[in-house]
Every structure is written in C-alpha cells, then in structure tokens.
Amino acid sequence: MNKQIHFIGGGQMVEAIIRALLNNKLYSSDAISVTDINQERVRYLNETYQIHASQDLQNSLEKAELIIIGVRPQDDLVGVCQSIKAIAPTTVPILSIVAGVTIEQFEAWLNEAYPIIRVIPNTLTDTGFGFSGVALNAKAEIADVESFLTGFGKVKYIEERLIDVFTGYGVAGPNYIYYFIESLADAGVLAGLPRSLAWELALENMVGAVEMLKRTDKHPRQLLDINNSPAGVGINALHELNRSDFAAGLQRSVLKAVQRTTELANE
Ligand SMILES: NC(=O)c1ccc[n+]([C@@H]2O[C@H](COP(=O)([O-])OP(=O)(O)OC[C@H]3O[C@@H](n4cnc5c(N)ncnc54)[C@H](OP(=O)(O)O)[C@@H]3O)[C@@H](O)[C@H]2O)c1
C-alpha cells in the first residue's frame, strides 16, 4: 500500500510526475492530492486525473505521508514551508523538486528534524527512461522515497554538491540527443534522402548503436575501429567530424549548461 502523497504546486513538472505514477499503476488517484493557488489549474487536474486537487492546503497536509514541494524557486517558498511546519509532524518526509534551492535552505525554513529530500526530476517521465538525481539530508532514508521516485523513472542517489552537474549533463541530456538526431537527419536530407527516410534511419541507428554498446560492453572506439576500414567511408567521415571541433563543442555545451544551472540557483 503506497503512501498518501501531497504535492504543493500543480504545474507542468508535477503533472508529468502524476501522469507517470498513474500510468505505471504505482499509485491510485485517491492516494494523490495537490494544492495549487491557481483555480483553473485545480479544475484541470481534477478533471484530467480524478485526483484530490484543491486550494485547501491545511486539509490535505493533515493526511499526507509524503509532501512534495513543486512550486517555482521564485514562489513563496518560505510561506509554503511555514504551512508545512504548522501542520505536518517532523516524521513526514518533505521532498523538493525546486531547482537551485538547497537542503540547507529547506532545513532553515522548515526544521532540520524533517527528512528532507532534494530531487532534480528527469524529464523523460512518460517513457520509464531517465535518471532523477536525488540528495538526502541526515534524517532522510532511501526507503522513505524509493517507491515514489521509481514511479516516474530511474534514480541516482548523489551528493548534493553534484546536483548542478547532474542537471546540466544528465537531466538536460535528452536535449543534446534531440539536437544530434535533428542534425543527423538534416545531413541525410542534405545528401539527398527524403526527410522521412533520413529521420527513420537516424532513430534506428541511435537506438541500435546504444544497444550495441550495451550488448558488447565495448568502448565506442573499439566499435569505430571495427567499422573504419583503411581509407574507407567511416574514417573519412570521422576525420571531417574531428575537424569540426564536434567533441569539444559538445563538451563546452555541457559545461555551459552546468554553469547556467549554478547561475540560476544564485539569482
Ligand atoms: N518543468 C521542468 O521540466 C522542471 C524540471 C526540473 C525541475 N523543475 C522544478 O519544478 C518546479 C515547478 O516547475 P514547473 O515548470 O512545473 O512550474 P509551473 O508549471 O509554473 O508550476 C508551478 C505551479 O505552482 C503554482 N504555485 C505558485 N505558488 C504556489 C503556492 N504558494 N502554493 C501552491 N501553488 C503555487 C503556480 O500557480 P501560478 O502559475 O498561478 O503562480 C503553478 O501552477 C520548479 O521549482 C522547477 O525548478 C521543473
């Protein structure tokens, strides 16, 4: 039997999590409640998911066995924490998905006696793929949150100091892949293929290449060596890619994403 969970803030990310929890049949809709200050959002969540969405924080917090803070960093987090503190006992785990807000800040606004869990949720929640990054305070235990977190993807428990890197590299990760696939499909079109065929080949090769790496347990360089015959197609293509600064460009892009994550946390 899963815990009664309550979300404060019912925006895009919270909705994606709720949809995955329900689709994966890990939670029933009567185990999920949400409060949002936006009346229209409350109506939409009730109608779409048949959960208990309302604007009444007090009543929902009294029953909650896990509380998820899902508002934006610029929203009234201190007020949200005061409401939690006034109602929820310190045995109830408090999980935050708020980007850039540290466990230390929550401990100061709430009380360090609460189990506090900081999560950077993955954005592939509808697929079962994607790792969320999770850091725990001294009071929190993995068992408090494991079944909730695995309801919308996979989980990596990390030190909090790695959250920004995890965000810029891991959670932003699908963006690099989307852009790579788009660029590759464009290359096929540039070379003369119909777009639909270029697109299909790019997706198939992406999935197949990942499967090859997993099944063979080989380093990419070993698979490249097998494919690249002397003076052949592969090594010529690779030479041109190397001249384009491809690897360093991608790496700079990741470093920039990490840097921006940290900047936003400090704004
Ligand atoms: N979206 C993502 O991909 C993503 C990824 C990782 C982490 N996150 C984190 O998830 C959190 C939510 O992001 P989001 O994109 O889902 O934002 P969002 O769609 O703007 O949702 C925030 C919701 O919270 C409501 N709200 C504001 N203050 C509230 C309060 N005091 N009590 C109850 N509800 C309140 C807002 O209502 P109003 O609009 O009326 O103000 C809005 O409906 C952020 O902290 C973000 O850092 C998001």
Side-chain angles (χ1 to χ4, degrees):
M1 176 76 177
N2 268 314
K3 289 179 175 169
Q4 192 71 35
I5 54 175
H6 182 70
F7 295 87
I8 302 177
Q12 299 308 317
M13 192 66 232
V14 163
E15 182 182 355
I17 292 173
I18 291 172
R19 188 168 59 237
L21 294 176
L22 293 174
N23 284 345
N24 293 333
K25 305 209 181 322
L26 290 172
Y27 284 80
S28 58
S29 52
D30 56 8
I32 301 174
S33 59
V34 184
T35 39
D36 196 289
I37 51 172
N38 184 323
Q39 180 59 43
E40 175 54 28
R41 199 68 196 152
V42 166
R43 192 193 56 73
Y44 165 81
L45 290 169
N46 274 326
E47 278 182 9
T48 312
Y49 301 103
Q50 287 79 50
I51 53 176
H52 300 293
S54 75
Q55 292 183 298
D56 173 13
L57 189 55
Q58 167 126 12
N59 196 24
S60 307
L61 278 183
E62 278 169 2
K63 296 185 199 135
E65 296 168 284
L66 171 66
I67 295 169
I68 299 104
I69 303 177
V71 298
R72 292 158 300 213
Q74 67 270 28
D75 292 330
D76 181 17
L77 277 168
V78 174
V80 165
C81 288
Q82 277 168 353
S83 304
I84 294 173
K85 226 162 93 169
I87 300 168
T90 54
T91 48
V92 175
I94 315 293
L95 185 150
S96 159
I97 62 164
V98 185
V101 182
T102 63
I103 288 176
E104 198 180 3
Q105 284 172 286
F106 278 112
E107 285 181 335
W109 294 330
L110 287 159
N111 178 335
E112 59 194 39
Y114 281 102
I116 296 174
I117 303 100
R118 181 177 171 194
V119 176
I120 174 75
N122 84 82
T123 54
L124 298 170
T125 47
D126 286 322
T127 66
F129 287 98
F131 284 106
S132 298
V134 180
L136 311 171
N137 80 342
K139 294 284 177 191
E141 291 180 18
I142 288 175
D144 292 335
V145 284
E146 178 93 338
S147 66
F148 168 74
L149 293 168
T150 53
F152 56 93
K154 297 168 184 155
V155 184
K156 287 288 180 197
Y157 295 96
I158 57 176
E159 289 175 50
E160 192 180 17
R161 68 180 178 84
L162 291 178
I163 283 255
D164 288 357
V165 181
F166 193 95
T167 305
Y169 176 72
V171 174
N175 296 338
Y176 309 117
I177 309 294
Y178 296 145
Y179 191 62
F180 175 78
I181 290 179
E182 184 196 18
S183 306
L184 189 61
D186 275 352
V189 176
L190 188 65
L193 287 180
R195 181 161 290 281
S196 60
L197 181 56
W199 182 245
E200 213 178 327
L201 293 180
L203 286 185
E204 183 71 11
N205 284 333
M206 173 63 82
V207 174
V210 171
E211 197 56 37
M212 275 295 276
L213 287 167
K214 283 186 178 170
R215 282 195 196 182
T216 61
D217 209 21
K218 284 188 160 58
H219 189 279
R221 181 58 55 184
Q222 290 174 287
L223 295 176
L224 284 169
D225 280 352
I226 293 168
N227 285 357
N228 290 343
S229 56
V233 172
I235 194 74
N236 269 282
L238 206 61
H239 174 68
E240 203 53 42
L241 207 50
N242 287 339
R243 275 162 35 101
S244 76
D245 204 26
F246 172 76
L250 183 59
Q251 288 152 10
R252 279 198 302 274
S253 164
V254 170
L255 292 182
K256 186 71 192 177
V258 173
Q259 182 194 327
R260 190 65 191 132
T261 305
T262 306
E263 280 169 11
L264 285 172
N266 294 327
E267 272 174 15

